[in-house]
C-alpha cells in the first residue's frame, strides 16, 4: 500500500490528531492556529528537531519518540521560566509507516501533551526522505518582560541544576553496549535506560526559575558544555565543585566502578535538566519553591569573573571541558 | 570532513543565521524567542515542512529552496489575513552539506525574509537521515478576533482567487519533461518553471482579505481540491465558471494546445494563491484594495447550498474533481 491509499492527510488529522487539539487549534480544521497571550504576558517560542538514529534509536517505541519530541521542547520553555501554551508538530514519515505505528505515536503524544499541559495547536505531515524526522515548535507564556535569559548570569550568582546529571548519557551507553556496567543492578540499569528514553522536562519548575534565576538554559548537550555556553554569552566564567554535581545512585555507582565515567556524565547529552544562576540571597527561597513542586535543585558552584572555560574542581585538581562536549549536530 | 570538524552549531548560528535575526530573536543567543502581539492583536501560527524530491527538486538552488520554505508558510499567514511577524526554522542537513551550500541558502533566506517582512526568530540545525528536510513555523499578527477562518464560507458569497492558477503545476511538468509543451515560447516556459520554483506569497493581500473575506485559505494542493476542502468544512458547496479561472498567457496557450491540461491546472499543486469567499456587497471594495497592492483577484464562482463537491462549469458541461487532487503527502 502506498501512503496515499492508506489515508489522506486530512483523514489522518481528523482521526489521529484532532483529539489532541487545544483551544487555539480550531479543531485543526484551519490552516493556522490563533493564539493570544493572557493580558500582561509574552509568548516564548522554541523549536527542536529530532532525527532517527541521531536523537533516538530506530527500535524506540513510537510513544517514547513522541514523548521525547515534545519533552525536549517543553524543557526549553521551562528553562526560560515559561509555562507551556501549546505546540506545533512537523512529522516527516518514512514510506514504511503503518497506521498502528501512528496510532501508538499519537497515543504517546496525547499522554505527554496532558502531562506537560501543552496541547496540540497545529502541524504538517509529509513524506520523509529517509528515516523518521520530527520537528516541534513549542509556545509558552511568561509575565511580560520576565523571560529568563541565557545571557544574564552575574558574578557571585550560585550555579544551580535540577534533578540529576549523566543518567541519560550512561543510559545511551547502556543501550549501545548492553553488556556494559555489570556492577549495576537491573533496577539501576533500567533507571538509566529510561532517563535516555524519557526526558523529564521540568515545566513545574518554570515559575520558580523566573522568580529566582538571573540566567537559565536547559542542559541538553552536557552540563559542562552548556555551562560553558551560558557563561560565555554572559561574559563571565564559573567554578564548579564536582562533588556537588547531583548524581543518581546508579550514576554514582557507575563512577565508583570506573572514575572516567565522571567525564561522560558531565559532558554527555540528553539530561534535559535546568541549569540556572541564582543570587545568593534568593537561594533558600528557590530551593523551597522547587521543593514544593517536588523537584530537587542542587547548588554546584559559583559564577566568577573572567572569560575562561568553567573549572570543575575534583579532589583538589582542576578540570576544564573545552571541546568534545556532546552535540546533536 | 565531518560536519563536526567544519563548524559547531553555535558557530553556524553566529556566522550564518544571526544576521537574519529579528527583534524577538534576541540575537539567536538564547534558547527561545520572545514575542508579544501588538496590543489588540492575536498571533497566528502555522507550520509547513519541505522535503527534497517531494516539495522541491534535488537540483534546485539553495536560495530557491530557502525562498520556497519561507514563502509557503507566509502564504498560509496571508490567507488568514495575518501580517508576518517572524519565523522559526528547523533544518535537517544531509551529511554532504557544504559551507558554500549553506551560505547560498542563508543568502536566499535573507532576501526572502526581507521581501516578506518576516524576520528569523529562532531555529534548530540537525543532521538529516537521508535528504534535506526543512520545517518552518511562521508567526503572524491579526487584529484580535479577526483571523480569517477556512470554515466560514456562506451561501451567496463570491468565490475569489488571487493571481493565476496552474502555472506551478505546468512548471513542474516542464521540469520533469523538458521536451513537453513545444507550442510555448522560451519566455512562457521560463515563466512556468519560475512559478514552480518561486512561490509568490500574497502577504500584501492580507489586509484586504481580513477586511473583506468570510473565509479563506491558500491554494497549495490544487484549486479544485482546496476549494472542495473549504466548502466541506464550511458545510456548503460551490459553483465555478471554468472560463473565469485566471490563467497566465502561458497556461492558456498550453490548454489551447491540449485541453486536458485544464484538469492539471486546476488540480495541480503549488499555486500559493489565496482562495477566499467574499460577500457580493464587498466585492468591489476587495478588488480595489487588491488592485492598490498590485495583486489581481478574480471572481470565479459562487458559494451555494449543499454538500456536493464543487462543480466546475465548462462549455455547458459540469465537472467534479472528487479525488486525485494533488497532495504533498
Amino acid at each position: 500500500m502506498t501512503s496515499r491509499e492508506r489515508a489522506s492527510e486530512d483523514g489522518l488529522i481528523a482521526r489521529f490528531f484532532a483529539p489532541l487539539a487545544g483551544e487555539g487549534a480550531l479543531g485543526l480544521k484551519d490552516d493556522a492556529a490563533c493564539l493570544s497571550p493572557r493580558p500582561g504576558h509574552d509568548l516564548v517560542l522554541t523549536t527542536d528537531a529530532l532525527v532517527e538514529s541521531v536523537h533516538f534509536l530506530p527500535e524506540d517505541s513510537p510513544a517514547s519518540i513522541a514523548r521525547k519530541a515534545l519533552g525536549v521542547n517543553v524543557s526549553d520553555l521551562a528553562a526560560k521560566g515559561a509555562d507551556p501554551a501549546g505546540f506545533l508538530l512537523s512529522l516527516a514519515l518514512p514510506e514504511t509507516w503503518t497506521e498502528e505505528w501512528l496510532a501508538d505515536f499519537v497515543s504517546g503524544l496525547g499522554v505527554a501533551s496532558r502531562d506537560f499541559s501543552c496541547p496540540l495547536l497545529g502541524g504538517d505531515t509529509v513524506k520523509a526522505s529517509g528515516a523518521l524526522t520530527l520537528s516541534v515548535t513549542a509556545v509558552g507564556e511568561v509575565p511580560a518582560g520576565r523571560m529568563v535569559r541565557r545571557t544574564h548570569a552575574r558574578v557571585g550568582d550560585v550555579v544551580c541544576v535540577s534533578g540529576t546529571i549523566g543518567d541519560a548519557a550512561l543510559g545511551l551507553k547502556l543501550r549501545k553496549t548492553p553488556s556494559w556496567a555489570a556492577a549495576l543492578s537491573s533496577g539501576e540499569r533500567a533507571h538509566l535506560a529510561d532517563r535516555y528514553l524519557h526526558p523529564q522536562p521540568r515545566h513545574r519548575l518554570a515559575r520558580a526559575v523566573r522568580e529566582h534565576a538571573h540566567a537559565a538554559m536547559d542542559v541538553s548537550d552536557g552540563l559542562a558544555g552548556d555551562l560553558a555556553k551560558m557563561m560565555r554569552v554572559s561574559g563571565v566564567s564559573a567554578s564548579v565543585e564536582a562533588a556537588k554535581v547531583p548524581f543518581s545512585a546508579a550514576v554514582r555507582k557507575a563512577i565508583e566502578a570506573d572514575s572516567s565515567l565522571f567525564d561522560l556524565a558531565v559532558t554527555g547529552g540528553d539530561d534535559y535538566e535546568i541549569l540556572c544562576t541564582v543570587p545568593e540571597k534568593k537561594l533558600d527561597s528557590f530551593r523551597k519553591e522547587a521543593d514544593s513542586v517536588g523537584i530537587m535543585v542542587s547548588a554546584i558552584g559559583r559564577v566568577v569573573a573572567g572569560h575562561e572555560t568553567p573549572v570543575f574542581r575534583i579532589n583538589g585538581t582542576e578540570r576544564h571541558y573545552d571541546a568534545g562536549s556532546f552535540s546533536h549536530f
Side-chain angles (χ1 to χ4, degrees), chain A:
Chain A
M1 278 199 301
T2 68
S3 55
R4 182 74 66 82
E5 284 164 327
R6 282 179 299 210
S8 71
E9 190 183 357
D10 285 343
L12 288 184
I13 292 169
R15 179 171 160 200
F16 290 111
F17 292 106
L20 276 59
E23 198 185 337
L26 309 169
L28 302 181
K29 284 184 181 162
D30 217 305
D31 313 271
C34 189
L35 199 70
S36 270
R38 282 173 297 164
H41 287 70
D42 292 331
L43 290 182
V44 172
L45 295 125
T46 184
T47 190
D48 262 330
L50 279 80
V51 178
E52 184 179 299
S53 300
V54 181
H55 302 85
F56 56 88
L57 302 179
E59 66 270 25
D60 289 350
S61 81
S64 293
I65 295 166
R67 190 175 185 88
K68 189 166 203 168
L70 185 55
V72 304
N73 280 280
V74 169
S75 174
D76 268 324
L77 294 180
K80 303 291 97 186
D83 300 311
F87 73 102
L88 296 97
L89 170 70
S90 266
L91 187 60
L93 286 174
E95 284 286 357
T96 51
W97 76 275
T98 63
E99 296 209 346
E100 191 189 350
W101 188 95
L102 194 61
D104 290 349
F105 177 88
V106 169
S107 165
L109 192 63
V111 173
S113 167
R114 284 189 295 277
D115 286 352
F116 308 152
S117 305
C118 192
L120 181 62
L121 293 175
D124 191 24
T125 307
V126 296
K127 221 181 317 186
S129 161
L132 180 66
T133 302
L134 311 89
S135 176
V136 167
T137 298
V139 186
E141 217 178 52
V142 285
R146 297 288 299 281
M147 184 179 110
V148 183
R149 303 288 308 275
R150 189 196 277 193
T151 48
H152 287 30
R154 299 184 206 163
V155 172
D157 282 355
V158 180
V159 177
C160 296
V161 69
S162 66
T164 58
I165 290 294
D167 302 270
L170 269 60
L172 177 59
K173 186 176 168 73
L174 200 58
R175 291 280 303 271
K176 289 185 168 167
T177 317
S179 62
W180 173 77
L184 300 183
S185 71
S186 62
E188 288 161 344
R189 297 156 72 93
H191 163 82
L192 297 180
D194 187 67
R195 280 297 302 265
Y196 171 74
L197 204 54
H198 299 126
Q200 305 278 340
R202 303 303 187 182
H203 52 291
R204 284 174 296 116
L205 201 60
R207 182 191 163 97
V209 169
R210 70 175 175 254
E211 289 185 350
H212 298 88
H214 280 153
M217 69 185 294
D218 79 330
V219 184
S220 56
D221 294 344
L223 174 67
D226 285 340
L227 177 62
K229 275 184 216 173
M230 189 160 75
M231 297 301 102
R232 191 171 57 239
V233 293
S234 296
V236 292
S237 187
S239 170
V240 171
E241 296 298 324
K244 293 186 175 171
V245 174
F247 293 130
S248 64
V251 169
R252 196 171 304 117
K253 199 194 265 189
I255 293 175
E256 275 163 16
D258 173 0
S259 65
S260 78
L261 291 174
F262 177 85
D263 290 353
L264 178 61
V266 300
T267 61
D270 291 308
D271 288 309
Y272 300 106
E273 296 292 353
I274 294 180
L275 176 67
C276 58
T277 79
V278 174
E280 173 94 52
K281 64 177 186 212
K282 286 190 167 184
L283 187 60
D284 283 346
S285 164
F286 179 52
R287 280 188 202 277
K288 205 170 290 174
E289 199 169 327
D291 200 51
S292 75
V293 294
I295 297 173
M296 177 177 81
V297 292
S298 304
I300 62 171
R302 286 276 178 183
V303 178
V304 299
H307 296 282
E308 297 223 314
T309 311
V311 59
F312 280 68
R313 301 185 191 280
I314 305 173
N315 301 328
T317 68
E318 295 193 347
R319 209 170 296 183
H320 292 263
Y321 299 92
D322 289 324
S325 190
F326 185 84
S327 171
H328 286 113
F329 177 64

